[in-house]
Amino acid sequence: MANQISSDLRDKISKQLSIHLSNIKDGYDHNDAYTTLREDISNGIFDTFETNLYIVRLAAEYSIKDIEIGRNNKLSKSEVAIDPWSMLDPTSKQYLLNSTKDTIENCPNIFHLSDRIHLRVSPIFSRLLGILCLWFYELNHDASQDRIGFIWLFIDPLIQIMVICSVPLLIQPEFVYDMAILPFSIIGAIFWLVFRTSAINVMTGGGSLKPQLEHPHIRKFDIMVAKAFYSFVNYFFAGVILLFVTVFFHLTDGPQNFLILITCFTISWIIGICFGIIANSLINLYPAIRRLIAYSLRFIGLASGLFYIPEQLPQRISEFLLYNPLLQLVQAGRSYWFYEYSSMDVNFTYIFYWFISLIFLALICLIIDEKKPSEVRA
Amino acid sequence: MDDTQKIYIQQLREAQSIFRNQHHSHAFELAKELHIRYPNAIDIKIFHDAVARSILASAKKLLLSENYKMAIFYARLLLGIDPLEKKGLEIILEAARSGLDTLNRTLLLYNICQNDPKNIQYWREIALCIEYLPPSEEHIEIGFEVLEVIPGHIKAIDGLATLIKQITESETIEILET
C-alpha cells in the first residue's frame, strides 16, 4: 500500500509536517504538529496530488510514523544512558515524577556522568538508573504525605528495630554467649526486617508506583526492586547508625568484618525479594494463599533467631531451625560483627544453594507472569 | 422521619430485597438511581458501594470460570463508578482478549475508550486488531482514531493500509461490474 502513495505526495506531506514541527513550542510533544497536519488534510490542501482522501490520510500517518521511529531510535541508541533521566525532566513526555521538590530536580546533576562514560554504559546500567528514579519517586511520595514525612522515614525504622530489640532485652541476660544483648538484637532485627519488608513490598504490588507501568521503559520487575530497595536503604542506615551508637557507648568493639556482614545483609534482602516475587505469583494464581503467606512470614520471623541463638535451644529444635537460611544469615551476621562469638552452625554452601534456587524460582515466576495475557504490553 | 426519608427507605428496602434474590445487576441499577436521587443518604451510599463490590467479585469469578460474556456484562456496570472502574476495565480487556472475536473485541473496546485517550491499553489492543477487521469506512475511521492516540503505531498503520487496499479494490471491482 505504501508503494501506491506517490512520492510527490509523501514529500509534500513530510515538508508540511516538518514546518509544523519547527513551529511547536514544546520540543517533546509532537501531537500538536500531527493534529495540525491532519487538519490541513481535512481542509483539502493535498487534494491536487491524490483524489482518494484515505490515501492522503494514510500518507500523513506514514510520515508521522517516520518521525516517531526516528525519535525512538534516537532514544534507544545514542541516548541509552541519558534516557532514564528524561523520566526526571519536567519538559519530557516521559516525566516520571509529578513533584517539583528540590531533591528530585537535583538528581540528574548528582548522578551526572561525562559523555565518554555515557557511550560505554550498558542497558543494564540504564535500567538501574530507571529503578533509582522509581525509588526517588517512592521516597518523595512517602515523605510528602505529611509534615514530618522526611523525619519519619528515618524514625520509623529506628522505632521498629527498637520494638523488636525490646523482647531480647527483656528475656535475655546482659550477655548472650559473650555478645552484648543490644547489638545482638539489633543485628537480628535488621536482618529480619529487611527480609520481611522487602518480601511484603514486592508481594503486595506497586502501590504509588503502579501507574508508572504505563511508562515505556518500566517493567513490573523494576517497580518490585525499587520498592524493595526502599526497605534496604531504610534498615541498612538505621541498623548501621544503631550499631555504631552501641560502639560509641562501648557496648561492643565494632565489626570484625563489616564487608561480610553487609554481604549477608544483602543476601537477606535478595532472598526477601525472591520470596516476594514467588509469593506474588502464587497469590495471582490462588488469592487465598495470601493468608498462608502472612502466617509463614510470622513463622519465619520466629524461626530466624531474632531473640535467641540456636545454641540456647534443645538440640532437636535447633537442628530443625537451622534449615532456615535466614537464621544462618543472622548467625553469620553476628559472627562477623562480634569478636567474642563465632557460630559453628553457619554453612555458606547451604545458604548459596538456597540463594540460587530462590533466584531461579523467582525468575521462572517473573517469566510466567509476564506471559499472562493481562500482563502483556503491546 | 420525614416523608422523603420514608420514601427512599422503602425504595432502598426493595432494592435490597432484589439484591438478596440474586438479581445483582437490577439491584445495582436501582442503587445507582437512588444514589443519584439522594446523594446525601448514607444508607444508600453504603448499599450502592456494597453492591458495586459484589458486582466486581462476580465479574472476577466469571472471568476465572471463563464465562467471558457475562464477565464483560458485569464489569461494564462498574464503568463510571470511581474506585472500581479501573478494575472493571481490566476485567473487560482480559475477557475481550480471551472470549471475543476480533471484530466484537474491537467494537466493544472502542465503544468504551472512544472518548478516553488516556486508556492506552485499550487503544493498543484495538491497534493490533485493525488488520483483521472486515473492510468498511467505519473500521477505517477507527484505525485513524487509533493513530491520533498512538501516533506512528506500526501495526495500526499496516492494518489500516490493508483495510484501505481492500476497500479500494472492492470499489474498483464494483465500478468495473457496473
Side-chain angles (χ1 to χ4, degrees):
Chain A
M1 191 71 202
N3 301 335
Q4 285 184 15
I5 301 165
S6 70
S7 55
D8 280 356
L9 177 64
R10 286 290 294 269
D11 291 347
K12 183 74 182 165
I13 287 176
S14 299
K15 275 180 194 164
Q16 190 73 9
L17 181 57
S18 40
I19 292 168
H20 291 320
L21 285 170
S22 60
N23 289 338
I24 54 172
K25 288 173 187 172
D26 181 356
Y28 289 94
D29 193 2
H30 288 194
N31 284 338
D32 289 348
Y34 300 155
T35 310
T36 322
L37 180 73
R38 288 181 188 119
E39 280 167 7
D40 288 348
I41 291 166
S42 55
N43 292 334
I45 287 184
F46 305 103
D47 285 359
T48 48
F49 296 91
E50 174 66 54
T51 49
N52 188 340
L53 188 61
Y54 283 147
I55 299 214
V56 182
R57 289 169 76 187
L58 188 63
E61 297 302 336
Y62 273 117
S63 303
I64 290 170
K65 185 186 88 174
D66 292 342
I67 298 286
E68 288 290 314
I69 286 176
R71 289 174 77 198
N72 289 340
N73 285 346
K74 202 178 162 191
L75 283 176
S76 59
K77 287 177 186 169
S78 63
E79 294 183 28
V80 63
I82 305 164
D83 178 50
W85 297 124
S86 66
M87 298 179 209
L88 294 169
D89 178 1
T91 59
S92 163
K93 204 176 173 183
Q94 297 164 336
Y95 184 41
L96 191 72
L97 307 160
N98 297 320
S99 170
T100 51
K101 290 257 163 74
D102 290 344
T103 46
I104 285 151
E105 280 183 345
N106 287 332
C107 294
N109 302 328
I110 296 167
F111 296 99
H112 178 73
L113 299 168
S114 73
D115 291 341
R116 233 177 114 193
I117 299 172
H118 271 311
L119 291 174
R120 280 198 229 141
V121 289
S122 65
I124 293 172
F125 185 73
S126 177
R127 182 159 291 278
L128 288 176
L129 287 180
I131 291 170
L132 193 71
C133 291
L134 287 170
W135 174 60
F136 271 112
Y137 184 95
E138 176 74 1
L139 191 73
N140 185 58
H141 179 267
D142 259 29
S144 56
Q145 295 294 310
D146 42 53
R147 276 165 184 260
I148 55 164
F150 274 104
I151 299 265
W152 192 250
L153 283 179
F154 176 69
I155 292 175
D156 184 43
L158 285 182
I159 294 174
Q160 287 196 41
I161 292 170
M162 291 316 295
V163 167
I164 291 181
C165 288
S166 63
V167 178
L169 283 172
L170 287 171
I171 63 170
Q172 294 278 19
E174 200 179 339
F175 290 93
V176 180
Y177 279 70
D178 297 334
M179 293 180 277
I181 188 68
L182 188 59
F184 163 88
S185 7
I186 290 170
I187 291 170
I190 59 170
F191 273 65
W192 159 242
L193 283 170
V194 79
F195 170 84
R196 193 199 69 151
T197 48
S198 55
I200 288 176
N201 284 347
V202 169
M203 192 169 67
T204 51
S208 63
L209 294 178
K210 212 172 178 183
Q212 307 305 333
L213 274 174
E214 286 302 319
H215 191 283
H217 291 215
I218 300 300
R219 296 168 72 174
K220 194 176 165 188
F221 175 72
D222 299 341
I223 289 181
M224 285 173 162
V225 175
K227 293 213 58 141
F229 186 61
Y230 184 75
S231 47
F232 178 87
V233 174
N234 271 357
Y235 292 108
F236 178 76
F237 283 106
V240 165
I241 288 167
L242 283 173
L243 283 172
F244 280 95
V245 166
T246 58
V247 175
F248 181 76
F249 286 108
H250 304 292
L251 293 172
T252 172
D253 291 335
Q256 190 197 109
N257 192 331
F258 196 56
L259 200 65
I260 299 181
L261 180 75
I262 292 172
T263 312
C264 294
F265 182 77
T266 312
I267 293 171
S268 307
W269 174 63
I270 295 171
I271 286 179
I273 294 177
C274 296
F275 183 90
I277 291 172
I278 297 164
N280 179 272
S281 197
L282 287 175
I283 288 169
N284 284 337
L285 275 177
Y286 312 103
I289 274 187
R290 186 183 297 274
R291 297 171 204 280
L292 284 180
I293 286 169
Y295 275 101
S296 70
L297 273 174
R298 280 169 205 153
F299 175 74
I300 295 170
L302 283 175
S304 295
L306 295 181
F307 316 128
Y308 55 85
I309 52 171
E311 289 89 330
Q312 290 177 303
L313 300 173
Q315 200 185 350
R316 273 189 184 178
I317 296 174
S318 70
E319 274 174 8
F320 172 70
L321 290 184
L322 280 167
Y323 285 112
N324 176 8
L326 199 63
L327 172 62
Q328 301 228 7
L329 283 165
V330 173
Q331 285 295 91
R334 283 173 184 150
S335 301
Y336 287 101
W337 177 272
F338 293 101
Y339 288 94
E340 303 88 349
Y341 176 76
S342 178
S343 173
M344 294 288 121
D345 306 316
V346 180
N347 184 343
F348 279 105
T349 320
Y350 180 75
I351 294 172
F352 176 76
Y353 282 130
W354 260 100
F355 183 63
I356 294 295
S357 316
L358 280 173
I359 287 181
F360 185 68
L361 261 177
L363 286 176
I364 289 174
C365 290
L366 275 176
I367 291 166
I368 292 171
D369 282 352
E370 286 208 350
K371 281 183 182 170
K372 280 184 188 165
S374 57
E375 300 284 338
V376 173
R377 295 164 67 197
Chain B
M1 193 184 279
D2 59 18
D3 287 347
T4 331
Q5 210 173 349
K6 273 182 192 169
I7 292 166
Y8 92 62
I9 283 184
Q10 195 186 346
Q11 288 171 333
L12 180 64
R13 295 285 174 263
E14 277 173 30
Q16 283 171 333
S17 129
I18 290 170
F19 180 71
R20 275 190 220 104
N21 290 331
Q22 302 295 317
H23 301 298
H24 291 186
S25 57
H26 186 197
F28 191 48
E29 293 299 331
L30 287 177
K32 274 202 272 191
E33 269 176 39
L34 286 172
H35 189 44
I36 293 165
R37 218 180 296 162
Y38 309 103
N40 298 325
I42 295 166
D43 310 357
I44 291 175
K45 193 179 179 324
I46 291 169
F47 176 64
H48 173 270
D49 292 351
V51 179
R53 283 197 300 276
S54 158
I55 295 269
L56 177 66
S58 303
K60 276 184 184 170
K61 206 173 166 184
L62 287 163
L63 182 68
L64 287 173
S65 59
E66 300 184 0
N67 188 348
Y68 300 116
K69 286 188 181 163
M70 283 308 288
I72 291 169
F73 171 75
Y74 275 114
R76 284 193 80 166
L77 295 174
L78 299 171
L79 300 181
I81 309 296
D82 193 24
L84 304 180
E85 187 178 19
K86 205 178 160 192
K87 287 183 178 170
L89 286 169
E90 280 172 13
I91 290 171
I92 293 172
L93 182 61
E94 200 162 326
R97 273 174 178 159
S98 314
L100 296 184
D101 61 70
T102 318
L103 178 61
N104 284 325
R105 190 191 317 163
T106 310
L107 294 178
L108 171 75
L109 299 181
Y110 176 71
N111 199 4
I112 292 168
C113 73
Q114 58 181 321
N115 297 319
D116 183 9
K118 285 184 180 172
N119 196 346
I120 294 291
Q121 273 195 316
Y122 274 46
W123 288 106
R124 280 183 185 149
E125 187 63 33
I126 297 171
L128 300 177
C129 296
I130 290 169
E131 196 178 349
Y132 309 103
L133 295 176
S136 74
E137 289 186 6
E138 189 197 352
H139 298 155
I140 291 174
E141 288 304 329
I142 291 176
F144 280 118
E145 266 190 64
V146 170
L147 289 168
E148 279 175 29
V149 180
I150 329 168
H153 194 291
I154 294 171
K155 283 293 263 180
I157 292 180
D158 289 346
L160 203 50
T162 315
L163 284 190
I164 292 171
K165 193 182 173 186
Q166 285 170 351
I167 209 164
T168 318
E169 280 172 1
S170 62
E171 277 172 4
T172 318
I173 290 166
E174 271 176 29
I175 291 165
L176 286 172
E177 280 175 355
T178 51

